[in-house]
Amino acid sequence: MITAETAERLKLAIRSIPDFPKPGVLFRDITPVLQSPELFRQVIDAFTDIYEGRKINVVAAIESRGFIFAAPVSLRLNAGFVPLRKSGKLPYMTYKVHYSLEYALEAMEMHVDALKPGQRVLLMDDLLATGGTAQAACRLIQQAGGIVESIAFFIELSDLKGREKLHGYEVISLVQFP
Amino acid sequence: MITAETAERLKLAIRSIPDFPKPGVLFRDITPVLQSPELFRQVIDAFTDIYEGRKINVVAAIESRGFIFAAPVSLRLNAGFVPLRKSGKLPYMTYKVHYSLEYALEAMEMHVDALKPGQRVLLMDDLLATGGTAQAACRLIQQAGGIVESIAFFIELSDLKGREKLHGYEVISLVQFP
């Protein structure tokens, strides 16, 4: 797990940027954490501690910041790495889901042979906001016959209640902001 | 380094997809490598062997497949991770370069405080084609006062002569296709 002290250090390193990507949004910028080998390692260590010893076959990563966490975690857990990407990026046959995010209609794809039925999947992304993207990712995983074992985020924006949208799934976040 | 046997195993796992993203292009799909914990680990081990013990402060990663290799390698080398992203994605003040890629004009950004002057940078991406993207990334790194210590790719498409465009830099690739 993660100690309160480590969580506090990580929160202090996250940079808050007002009005990005649009007016009224306070963006949580994780690049200062990634830039510090020590802090980035603490994040990956925390995820590893949580999931080590659990039966996870595949870590599925939401493009593109999710890749940054999911790649090292998949190696630590000795699990496969599967990218979930925006429409048109994956070259082979795909499953595709559409979902709405605020004003825009988005689509996400996963290769049809990315998972074997019954495989246990840890879904990862950098940040949980409304939960719409993660919910779409769960649908993709289940369409392929995978089992969503857990969903892990570095940051959770609690006021946006993404956790409620993801009810029925285990949801883990390392640090929380309102 | 990487043994001829490992390189051959990796090449066999890479899936070739004709006419993606457009007619006439043979796309090299790395997802089967990532999906295998053993093969993915061999890739990261190979990069680690090459760069361990060299003075690398930062691993700079080209969005988004570059993130998948650069994140684990930065942790192994105890170096910072810095994302180089498409225009408009990074929230803080950025350096920006424009470059042309076939028909399109592209732009890439890096945070202005991503590097300290004099830091030694390993630039990583999944694939070396014409070298245009990596060349733009080198300009970004140098604009911030960083030193491009080496450029590493998982795959090199030799016939496209990206290596020539990157002359003056050390260029490493683990597997090569014509």
Side-chain angles (χ1 to χ4, degrees), chain A residues 11 19 21 23 28 33 35 37 39 41 44 47 57-58 63 71 83 87 90 104 109 125 132 139 143 149 153 161-162:
Chain A
K11 281 182 82 163
D19 300 320
R28 305 297 183 169
V33 173
Q35 211 170 326
L39 294 178
R41 184 183 315 282
I44 301 304
F47 285 128
N57 307 112
V58 170
E63 181 176 15
S87 199
L90 288 169
E109 293 183 299
D125 203 355
R139 281 163 48 209
Q143 207 174 335
E149 172 74 15
F153 302 94
K161 300 188 191 300

Side-chain angles (χ1 to χ4, degrees), chain A residues 15 17 20 27 29 31 34-35 37 41 63-65 67-68 71-72 75 78-81 85 88 91-92 111 113-114, chain B residues 15 20 27 29 31 34-35 37 41 63-65 67-68 71-72 75 78-81 85 88 91-92 111 113-114:
Chain A
R15 173 164 55 188
I17 298 185
F20 187 90
F27 188 88
D29 175 20
T31 61
L34 305 174
Q35 211 170 326
R41 184 183 315 282
E63 181 176 15
S64 65
R65 280 188 296 263
F67 291 1
I68 301 170
L75 289 162
N78 204 33
F81 173 95
R85 301 199 65 181
Y92 190 61
H111 275 158
D113 61 354
Chain B
R15 173 162 56 186
F20 186 89
F27 189 87
D29 175 20
T31 62
L34 304 174
Q35 211 170 324
R41 185 182 313 284
E63 182 175 14
S64 66
R65 280 189 297 263
F67 291 2
I68 301 169
L75 289 162
N78 204 34
F81 173 95
R85 302 199 65 182
Y92 189 61
H111 276 158
D113 60 354

Side-chain angles (χ1 to χ4, degrees), chain B residues 23-24 33 41 58 65 75 89 96-97 107 117 122 147 167:
Chain B
V33 174
R41 185 182 313 284
V58 170
R65 280 189 297 263
L75 289 162
K89 301 285 195 75
K96 186 171 186 166
V97 289
L122 167 61
I147 297 158
H167 68 92

Side-chain angles (χ1 to χ4, degrees), chain B residues 85-161:
Chain B
R85 302 199 65 182
K86 288 166 194 89
S87 199
K89 301 285 195 75
L90 288 170
Y92 189 61
M93 285 179 292
T94 61
Y95 292 116
K96 186 171 186 166
V97 289
H98 295 274
Y99 61 105
S100 51
L101 216 59
E102 300 187 50
Y103 317 109
L105 187 72
E106 306 274 345
M108 190 192 300
E109 292 183 298
M110 184 177 75
H111 276 158
V112 293
D113 60 354
L115 295 177
K116 293 183 194 72
Q119 282 194 313
R120 307 190 79 83
V121 180
L122 167 61
L123 175 65
M124 295 194 80
D125 203 356
D126 64 323
L127 181 131
L128 172 59
T130 65
T133 306
Q135 194 186 42
C138 289
R139 281 163 48 208
L140 266 185
I141 291 164
Q142 287 158 349
Q143 207 174 336
I147 297 158
V148 179
E149 172 75 13
S150 188
I151 313 177
F153 303 93
F154 176 29
I155 298 174
E156 176 175 359
L157 305 181
S158 313
D159 286 358
L160 298 181
K161 301 190 190 301

Side-chain angles (χ1 to χ4, degrees), chain A residues 87-123:
Chain A
S87 199
K89 302 285 194 77
L90 288 169
Y92 190 61
M93 285 178 292
T94 60
Y95 293 116
K96 186 171 185 167
V97 289
H98 295 274
Y99 61 105
S100 50
L101 216 58
E102 300 188 51
Y103 317 109
L105 187 72
E106 307 274 346
M108 190 192 300
E109 293 183 299
M110 184 179 74
H111 275 158
V112 293
D113 61 354
L115 295 177
K116 294 183 194 69
Q119 282 194 312
R120 306 189 80 82
V121 180
L122 167 60
L123 174 64

